[in-house]
Amino acid sequence: ITPWLAAVLVGNNPASEIYVKNKTKKFEALGLKTDLFRLNEDISEQELLSLIDKLNSDAEFHGILVQLPLPKHIDSEKVLNAIVPTKDVDGFHPENAGLLSIGKPRFIPCTPKGMMFILKHFNVDLNGKHVVVIGRSNIVGRPISILASLKELGNATVTLCHSGTKDLKYHSKQADVLVAALGSPEFVDASYIKEGACILDVGINRIERDGKSKIVGDVNQESVMGVASSLTPVPKGVGPMTIACLLRNTTISCKNRLIN
Ligand code: NDP
C-alpha cells in the first residue's frame, strides 16, 4: 500500500502552482502517489465542497491538501473544515488544532513540525529556553508556539507576538530562539535580536532587487550574521522541511488506516 495524496489547486496563482509542483515532485521522487485536481478560478464553493466530499469517502486517498489561498468568492475556512480530520494532513482542521493544543496531536501542521525537526537535528534544546514567535497565524505562528510550550515537546517559555504587540523589540531581544513568521521581507535585523540567539526564518517573500526577482525571508540575513548563533536560510531552510513533513503526515495517515 502506497501513501496517496489528493492535492487540490484552484485557479492559476503562480506561487501556488510552484508550491503544489514542488510537493507533488517530492512525492513522486520518493515513490509516494499524488493526484492533482485542477479547478478553474470561477468554480463555485459548492462544487469545491462536493469534490472534497468525494475525496473524503474515496478510500484510495490517505491525505487531502487544498492549496491556499483560494479565490475570494470561496470561504477557505468552510473548505478546510470540510476535509475529514483523519485525512487532514496539513493539520488545519479545528479538530486537529484542538488535539495539538491539548498535547495529543494527530496531524501537526507541516511548517511548525518541520521547524521542530530542524531544532532537534541541530541539537537546539528548547527545554527552559525563552522562545519568541513573531506572527500568530493558525498555520505557522500559533502551532509552533504550542509545540514549543508543550511539556512533552519543547517545554519552553513562549511569547507570541503579533501586529498588536507593543515594543516588539523588547520581546524579540529576550529570545533564546526567535521564530520570524510575519510575512514582511527582511523585517528582523540585528536590532531585534539578542547575541547568540537561534533564529528560524519562516518568511517566503518575493521582492525585486537590482532588476531581478528574488525570494527573501522575514529576517535580514546579512544584518544578523555574526550576532545570531544560528539561522535557517531562505530559500532552502524551513520550506523543504514543510514538504518533508507533508510526506510524513501522509505516510502516518496511511499507517493509521492499516492499523485501524
Ligand atoms: P499571516 O499573514 O497569516 O500572519 C502573519 C502574522 O504576523 C500575523 O499574526 C500578523 O499579526 C503578524 N504580523 C504582521 N506584521 C507584523 C509586525 N510588523 N509586527 C508583529 N507582527 C506582525 O502569515 P503566515 O503565518 O501564513 O506566513 C508568514 C510568513 O511565512 C509568510 O512570509 C509566508 O509566505 C511564510 N510561510 C512559509 C512557509 C514555509 O514553508 N517556509 C509556510 C507558510 C508560510 P496579526 O495577527 O495581528 O495580523
Side-chain angles (χ1 to χ4, degrees), residues 111 134-137 139-140 162-163 181-183 187 202-205 239 242:
T111 304
I134 312 178
R136 61 178 159 189
S137 75
I139 64 172
V140 187
H162 44 77
S163 66
L182 63 155
F187 180 94
V202 186
I204 302 179
N205 310 289
T242 299

Side-chain angles (χ1 to χ4, degrees), residues 39-50:
L39 306 171
N40 286 335
E41 180 87 20
D42 59 1
I43 189 168
S44 72
E45 187 178 280
Q46 198 43 53
E47 283 172 294
L48 180 53
L49 289 170
S50 301

Side-chain angles (χ1 to χ4, degrees), residues 1-4 31-33 60 62 254:
I1 294 175
T2 309
W4 198 339
L32 281 72
K33 293 199 273 192
E60 297 277 22
H62 305 103
C254 177

Side-chain angles (χ1 to χ4, degrees), residues 19 111 140 179-186 200-206 215-219 221 232-236 238-239:
Y19 290 145
T111 304
V140 187
V179 177
L182 63 155
S184 187
E186 300 180 327
L200 292 156
D201 188 356
V202 186
I204 302 179
N205 310 289
R206 187 170 287 280
I215 299 281
V216 298
D218 288 346
V219 177
Q221 309 230 346
T232 59
V234 177
K236 292 194 186 333
V238 172

